[in-house]
Amino acid sequence: MSPPPRPLFSAARHRAQRDRLARLPASANFLAPIIAETLLDRLAMVKRDFPRILLIGAHDQALADHLRGIGTELTIIEAGPRLAVASGALVAEADAIDLPFASFDLIVWPGGLDGVNDVPGALVRLHALLAPDGLLLGAYLGDGSLPRLRRAVMTDGVRPIARLHPQIDLAAMGNLLQRVGFTLPVVDVETLTVRYGDWRALVRDLRAAGLASRLYPAPPPLTRAEVQQIAIAFAAQADPDGRIAESLRIVHFSGWAPHPDQPQPARRGSGQTSLAAALKPKS
């Protein structure tokens, strides 16, 4: 019997990062309210009620309060034990939630999909937790995020060791949603540009948002020489005003648990007009 694959991410480091959020003021995490606002805007366009809601992540109290206001029952899942206690959440990783099937009408996941060890397994589990015609709505940092930081940590003089998380692109996310059984999947991206005076300020913001690396095993610490090389390489990408514009690509995704009343795609090959005829110029 072959041994299980080695995890890509450390659950212990994830728990520690999440608990760190409990010790920081809410304003330290600049990204949380931006993602929450976008998710709530998208949710407002869905004209139906969601009485039983699951929120994955307990760090955004404003988001939790809003969801309590639109539903009759809110359950929160949180990986950080201290953060969970402070917010009344259940302790669990997103890919290991152990709750009854078909328990929720809406699942909101405002970040973190890109940092779980078993992404397909997490989506399968969430699909099972949704009642028929239930909605999964979420966001994560996708491919193309942090290009300047990534270039800086790969500069000459820095050991070629993985220090940043791999990223999930839009096409892969859409395919995953379909593969695990979600209907009407939607995946799109919004690019957020933030400007910094140096790379340390960016790293502080990433840590405050719970986005620091939790790769397993942890890479060796940077040497002073490597820190200096990264700082120089990051600063070399500055705009004329001396500040560096970094990009965060926020991928938004949604999918529904199947239900007979949902719109169904036409059966393949059932069209009455050929593509060639449809594209033929009209005289």
Side-chain angles (χ1 to χ4, degrees):
M1 185 174 180
S2 60
R6 189 180 72 178
L8 179 61
F9 303 107
S10 165
R13 294 180 71 192
H14 184 211
R15 291 192 294 269
Q17 290 172 6
R18 299 296 301 177
D19 281 341
R20 188 184 303 125
L21 297 180
R23 302 192 297 269
L24 296 174
S27 59
N29 187 349
F30 81 99
L31 196 56
I34 294 173
I35 291 178
E37 181 180 5
T38 306
L39 291 177
L40 292 176
D41 285 345
R42 291 165 186 247
L43 184 59
M45 292 187 289
V46 182
K47 303 304 180 184
R48 59 155 291 184
D49 295 329
F50 297 101
R52 302 169 300 168
I53 303 174
L54 174 65
L55 172 62
I56 302 177
H59 62 285
D60 191 339
Q61 186 61 49
L63 176 59
D65 290 343
H66 184 95
L67 294 176
R68 285 192 182 93
I70 65 173
T72 57
E73 179 184 344
L74 176 66
T75 301
I76 305 176
I77 292 293
E78 173 55 54
R82 293 181 181 177
L83 185 53
V85 169
S87 56
L90 303 175
V91 181
E93 293 283 352
D95 55 354
I97 300 173
D98 186 14
L99 292 172
F101 290 174
S103 295
F104 301 101
D105 307 295
L106 170 67
I107 298 176
V108 179
W109 193 357
L113 173 71
D114 52 316
V116 299
N117 281 304
D118 185 3
V119 174
L123 292 174
V124 167
R125 194 172 292 265
L126 297 185
H127 183 276
L129 292 175
L130 282 172
D133 205 29
L135 173 64
L136 168 65
L137 185 64
Y140 64 90
L141 286 190
D143 66 311
S145 293
L146 304 172
R148 289 163 180 80
L149 179 61
R150 289 178 179 273
R151 282 196 290 269
V153 299
M154 292 189 296
T155 193
D156 291 341
V158 179
R159 286 165 292 176
I161 299 170
R163 295 185 181 276
L164 298 176
H165 290 187
Q167 299 174 336
I168 305 171
D169 65 22
L170 272 71
M173 187 62 201
N175 290 335
L176 280 172
L177 289 170
Q178 290 184 315
R179 278 174 48 198
V180 304
F182 284 99
T183 61
L184 309 175
V186 175
V187 183
D188 58 73
V189 64
E190 174 186 11
T191 300
L192 175 67
T193 300
V194 286
R195 304 180 79 241
Y196 292 94
D198 59 71
W199 78 288
R200 293 177 185 272
L202 170 58
V203 170
R204 282 195 299 269
D205 271 359
L206 294 177
R207 287 175 175 168
L211 296 173
S213 172
R214 51 180 179 268
L215 293 173
Y216 178 84
L222 294 165
T223 65
R224 289 185 179 181
E226 286 175 323
V227 168
Q228 184 177 15
Q229 290 300 113
I230 292 173
I232 293 171
F234 192 70
Q237 304 174 76
D239 294 329
D241 64 357
R243 300 185 68 82
I244 303 96
E246 187 58 287
S247 299
L248 302 174
R249 286 170 50 86
I250 304 173
V251 176
H252 300 275
F253 62 93
S254 64
W256 294 81
H259 188 276
D261 293 340
Q262 290 172 347
Q264 301 296 318
R267 181 175 56 83
R268 187 180 179 89
S270 62
Q272 300 299 312
T273 304
S274 70
L275 179 61
L279 296 177
K280 185 177 180 180
K282 291 182 171 60
S283 56

